[in-house]
Amino acid sequence: MRRSWRTSWAVTTVLVLLALSVGLGRYLLSSHGSAAQLNPSPTPSPTATLPPRPGGTYTEGTLSKPQTLNPFFATMQIERDIAAILFDPLVGLDASGQPIPSLATSWKLSDDGRTYTLTLRADVTWHDGTPFTASDVLYTIRLLQAPDFPGDPTLSHFWRSVVVSSSSPTEVRFTLPAPFSPFLNYLSIPILPAHRLAGVLPRDLPTDSFSTSPIGTGPYRLVQFDAERGTVTLARYDGYYGEKPYLDQVIIRAYPDVPALAQAFASGAIQGIGTPPIDLLLRPGALGSHARIYAPLVPGYTALFFNLRDQLFADVRVRQAIALAIDRQHLVQDALHQLAEPGSSPVPASLWAYAPQPATVNLDRARQLLNEAGWQDQNGVLQRNGTPFRFTLLVNSDDPQRLAAAQAVASALGQLHMQVTVQALSPAALEQTLLNRQFTAAIYGWYARQGDPDSFTLWSSSQVDSGANISGFRNQAVDTLLQQARTTAAEADRKALYAEFQRVFAEQVPAVILYYPRLPFVVSDTIGGVDATPLVSPSDRLREVIHWYLVAPK
């Protein structure tokens, strides 16, 4: 598996967690009315018969016009994608979420588990030739800590509790209020140039010229940004300290609609589409004969969440029966066009701590469990003491993939004679409903944005009343495991703790993990070196462009 630098941003509050869980599906639209299927393991990328030669241009089409190139104010996926090759993080993440060197070459942890000392590379320069030093790291962190920082408030919320200092141009220390083992993953933020921005007030940063003409430390530098036309031209930075890209240029070009985007790809005007609508991929011949579809895993999951405060789901035997009735293999194949992997565990399949759990289908055993819990089939209606087993299943309306999953779940539970009504809400309405705990069951998800398996905020009892544990799941064993896992430094010990957490979760079933999503993108067969390595962040897709090259015509 290729090791590469991975970027992500810190997220700590429940509102942003839910926004991500609802919004991730927007990258994974599907046309569930079609019977067509996508193969997430396409024909391999072309391989050069000779060593790849530097040179050439890769042009990618998008339906969005970038408005800013400052990574801390990016709101569109294409803006984040561009930032991923303009800026490098302090610490990188490999495909499984493990920290690896980037602008920092190494790190050490103090005996009390609170202070991380990082050694920085001494051979890095900004795109204007100025050396990168610890002052750039201090500037970036203090910007995030500023009371008037105008970007993501969760960044400030996290970083204001961290003390940052430096004793030399190549050393930075971070002191935490308490041990927090995922901290290195939170250092996978982009670093900004102090010498260029030190005189700019934080509140003025979004409108500063840096947002349209930035300099970074990444493998590509900005040549031209035409916001009106939606075109960005990047050139290989010859002073880059790391692995040198093959391609001379990367160009991003916006198109007004899907037909224009598809025509541009089919004609060869562009060689890639970053986040194509899935109905376009399902349409035979729409992209021509040169299209190759890649669909790497991203570290998240979509699940059927129960509100355990509701008496329908208070009995664990009922939740176990529901899990036994849902065929996740068929759901992925029939409803999701294979753009996912069947789920089983609350740790995403691509992360280092993943431990798969049994996900069998057994309707007979499900009916037995329901009978034990007092639910009986009366003339085709599952009921207890005259009350039918009936509930509304909520899902966000802007995600056809999750809508298809919700219908599949409702159909599966119909085999147990449960009466399930699917109700689609707008993302904002669903978020508020979940935060208010005013739901019976819902399909939404979780995204490990830092690439770490820490899911304390979602499943710890301490988060039931005002945090992200909207299910109301309380389990003392899980509380202990999650707390220890986020304060234990040794990876082997953390992995063992998470393995036990996943086992208890599968036994207690506070949610049924339905699937792990994939992120589709399209690249022409004129480009080699492309693969479908799992991504920590959707933007890592474009960061892999340093390995891509033009394939010589036969």
Side-chain angles (χ1 to χ4, degrees):
M1 180 178 292
R2 181 179 293 160
R3 294 174 66 87
S4 60
W5 317 126
R6 307 279 175 184
T7 57
S8 59
W9 279 260
V11 176
T12 56
T13 66
V14 60
L15 281 172
V16 174
L17 175 67
L18 290 174
L20 280 171
S21 70
V22 170
L24 180 62
R26 298 172 194 167
Y27 300 124
L28 299 165
L29 301 179
S30 67
S31 176
H32 55 275
S34 170
Q37 297 292 321
L38 290 177
N39 184 353
S41 301
T43 304
S45 175
T47 301
T49 54
L50 297 173
R53 294 183 179 181
T57 298
Y58 168 72
T59 303
E60 181 164 294
T62 176
L63 294 172
S64 304
K65 291 183 178 181
Q67 300 300 309
T68 182
L69 300 182
N70 186 320
F72 290 117
F73 307 121
T75 57
M76 292 183 281
Q77 185 57 44
I78 191 60
E79 294 172 341
R80 300 184 186 100
D81 292 350
I82 295 168
I85 55 176
L86 281 173
F87 299 90
D88 270 353
L90 194 58
V91 173
L93 301 175
D94 71 10
S96 70
Q98 292 281 23
I100 54 176
S102 184
L103 292 175
T105 61
S106 61
W107 43 82
K108 59 183 179 181
L109 179 62
S110 62
D111 291 340
D112 65 1
R114 295 176 54 236
T115 300
Y116 291 79
T117 302
L118 276 67
T119 300
L120 307 181
R121 296 187 68 109
D123 58 348
V124 179
T125 60
W126 294 94
H127 293 159
D128 64 356
T130 302
F132 161 79
T133 68
S135 63
D136 300 305
V137 180
L138 297 180
Y139 166 78
T140 301
I141 301 304
R142 288 168 181 167
L143 166 67
L144 302 179
Q145 295 172 335
D148 55 347
F149 174 65
D152 186 342
T154 61
L155 284 168
S156 294
H157 178 82
F158 177 82
W159 285 105
R160 283 174 187 158
S161 65
V162 178
V163 177
V164 58
S165 60
S166 175
S167 58
S168 78
T170 57
E171 183 180 280
V172 181
R173 289 187 302 278
F174 298 91
T175 301
L176 314 183
F180 183 57
S181 45
F183 180 70
L184 285 173
N185 291 59
Y186 282 70
L187 290 175
S188 60
I189 56 173
I191 302 299
L192 301 183
H195 71 282
R196 167 63 179 81
L197 295 170
V200 182
L201 295 175
R203 65 174 179 268
D204 294 332
L205 272 174
T207 57
D208 187 81
S209 60
F210 183 82
S211 291
T212 54
S213 56
I215 55 171
T217 56
Y220 284 88
R221 60 180 177 82
L222 180 67
V223 174
Q224 185 181 36
F225 176 27
D226 187 333
E228 183 176 351
R229 294 185 178 181
T231 302
V232 179
T233 302
L234 308 168
R236 181 175 54 223
Y237 178 48
D238 292 332
Y240 187 57
Y241 65 91
E243 182 179 354
K244 304 298 189 294
Y246 294 111
L247 296 167
D248 290 334
Q249 287 189 322
V250 174
I251 298 175
I252 305 298
R253 183 171 296 153
Y255 288 85
D257 50 41
V258 172
L261 181 66
Q263 175 58 32
F265 185 90
S267 68
I270 59 176
Q271 293 79 48
I273 302 175
T275 52
I278 302 307
D279 58 350
L280 176 63
L281 301 182
L282 292 172
R283 197 182 312 150
L287 295 173
S289 61
H290 297 289
R292 297 198 173 183
I293 302 169
Y294 300 86
L297 282 169
V298 288
Y301 58 76
T302 288
L304 167 61
F305 283 77
F306 306 113
N307 188 338
L308 303 187
R309 304 167 189 84
D310 193 295
Q311 286 305 304
L312 283 179
F313 303 118
D315 193 317
V316 67
R317 292 170 295 187
V318 171
R319 305 194 299 270
Q320 291 171 344
I322 290 174
L324 288 168
I326 299 173
D327 190 328
R328 283 159 265 189
Q329 290 279 356
H330 283 174
L331 185 151
V332 165
Q333 179 178 342
D334 298 339
L336 307 182
H337 309 292
Q338 298 179 332
L339 274 175
E341 285 295 306
S344 68
S345 162
V347 171
S350 60
L351 296 186
W352 56 268
Y354 171 63
Q357 302 300 310
T360 57
V361 180
N362 189 331
L363 291 176
D364 290 338
R365 176 57 178 158
R367 294 185 181 101
Q368 180 182 352
L369 287 167
L370 289 171
N371 290 340
E372 292 173 3
W375 293 94
Q376 304 291 329
D377 184 356
Q378 300 291 333
N379 300 318
V381 177
L382 187 66
Q383 53 185 287
R384 182 176 62 186
N385 300 327
T387 300
F389 199 112
R390 179 188 300 130
F391 67 94
T392 298
L393 178 59
L394 302 181
V395 64
N396 49 302
S397 59
D398 66 336
D399 184 350
Q401 189 180 41
R402 286 193 180 155
L403 283 166
Q407 295 293 348
V409 167
S411 177
L413 299 188
Q415 298 176 93
L416 300 178
H417 295 159
M418 295 179 179
Q419 300 174 1
V420 183
T421 301
V422 175
Q423 181 180 357
L425 300 178
S426 70
L430 179 58
E431 288 173 24
Q432 197 58 52
T433 300
L434 296 177
L435 287 173
N436 292 339
R437 280 63 170 164
Q438 296 175 339
F439 74 103
T440 304
I443 287 185
Y444 73 106
W446 180 72
Y447 177 39
R449 203 170 178 182
Q450 281 75 44
D452 189 89
D454 176 39
S455 51
F456 177 90
T457 57
L458 200 61
W459 298 115
S460 168
S461 298
S462 66
Q463 307 297 304
V464 165
D465 295 326
S466 59
N469 187 349
I470 62 171
S471 294
F473 179 56
R474 298 178 185 271
N475 184 283
Q476 185 174 354
V478 166
D479 290 346
T480 301
L481 291 165
L482 292 178
Q483 180 61 35
Q484 290 180 348
R486 65 177 357 209
T487 56
T488 298
E491 178 189 316
D493 293 338
R494 292 190 75 203
K495 190 169 186 176
L497 290 165
Y498 281 123
E500 179 62 10
F501 159 61
Q502 291 167 86
R503 186 196 67 78
V504 175
F505 186 99
E507 179 183 90
Q508 294 298 312
V509 202
V512 179
I513 310 301
L514 299 175
Y515 60 87
Y516 308 112
R518 291 181 175 274
L519 182 73
F521 63 95
V522 180
V523 178
S524 167
D525 64 3
T526 62
I527 302 295
V530 188
D531 69 16
T533 300
L535 307 176
V536 170
S537 163
S539 298
D540 292 337
R541 170 193 61 80
L542 197 59
R543 185 170 285 275
E544 290 288 333
V545 79
I546 64 172
H547 303 291
W548 298 2
Y549 52 84
L550 288 185
V551 177
K554 295 181 180 179

